[in-house]
Amino acid sequence: MESHPDILEMRARHERAATTPRAQAIEAMGVITGLYLAASPWIAGFNNLSTLAVTNLITGLAYALLMGGFGHAYERTHSMAWAAAALGAWTVIAPWVVAGDVDTTRTITNNIITGLIALVLALAAASSASMRSDRGTRGASSGYGGRTSS
């Protein structure tokens, strides 16, 4: 299976996509967003709300790891990006879902803005992972493995 022509072509396409400035920018902004989310309880000043502080810390670190792993495992980017998108959506709703009375103006504003940025970056990563950079190179006349059919 490792030597299948389509797998080799797909890996080459993903390798080319991972080295584009757009993919690198999305990855870098995603890591920064995740690290900010992890540190946001102390930056925005709601670290005394321990349930949301721990939630943001864990979610932010997980998001940064997912987004930072794109360059090393680009063929799995599509599923990793959807997991990161789920973390971004969780960040938006977390102030109302976690235990305790943590839905203050500061926490809501911080989590909605950070969560939406995280969601947009993850969706951008998912779209770039699903885009075919070699669209149209194999026409209807080409058969299995790029050979022309007779």
Side-chain angles (χ1 to χ4, degrees):
M1 188 71 175
E2 287 292 319
S3 62
H4 192 278
D6 290 339
I7 290 177
L8 296 174
E9 176 187 339
M10 182 179 69
R11 284 188 180 155
R13 183 179 72 240
H14 287 307
E15 181 63 32
R16 285 190 307 270
T19 59
T20 64
R22 178 180 186 230
Q24 292 172 351
I26 290 170
E27 181 179 345
M29 289 186 293
V31 170
I32 290 169
T33 300
L35 292 176
Y36 172 78
L37 179 60
S40 66
W42 293 272
I43 294 171
F46 58 89
N47 58 335
N48 58 342
L49 303 171
S50 62
T51 55
L52 189 60
V54 171
T55 299
N56 280 10
L57 177 66
I58 293 170
T59 305
L61 291 176
Y63 186 85
L65 289 173
L66 281 173
M67 294 296 281
F70 286 163
H72 303 293
Y74 205 78
E75 61 269 5
R76 293 185 298 272
T77 299
H78 192 70
S79 59
M80 290 169 54
W82 285 110
L87 290 177
W90 166 254
T91 301
V92 172
I93 64 168
W96 295 284
V97 178
V98 297
D101 188 24
V102 296
D103 56 342
T104 65
T105 303
R106 186 176 294 180
T107 61
I108 292 171
T109 304
N110 178 74
N111 276 38
I112 287 178
I113 292 171
T114 307
L116 289 177
I117 291 170
L119 185 61
V120 167
L121 288 172
L123 292 176
S127 72
S128 68
S130 65
M131 287 184 356
R132 292 184 53 102
S133 60
D134 60 344
R135 190 173 296 161
T137 59
R138 290 179 55 180
S141 64
S142 64
Y144 178 75
R147 296 183 298 262
T148 58
S149 55
S150 318

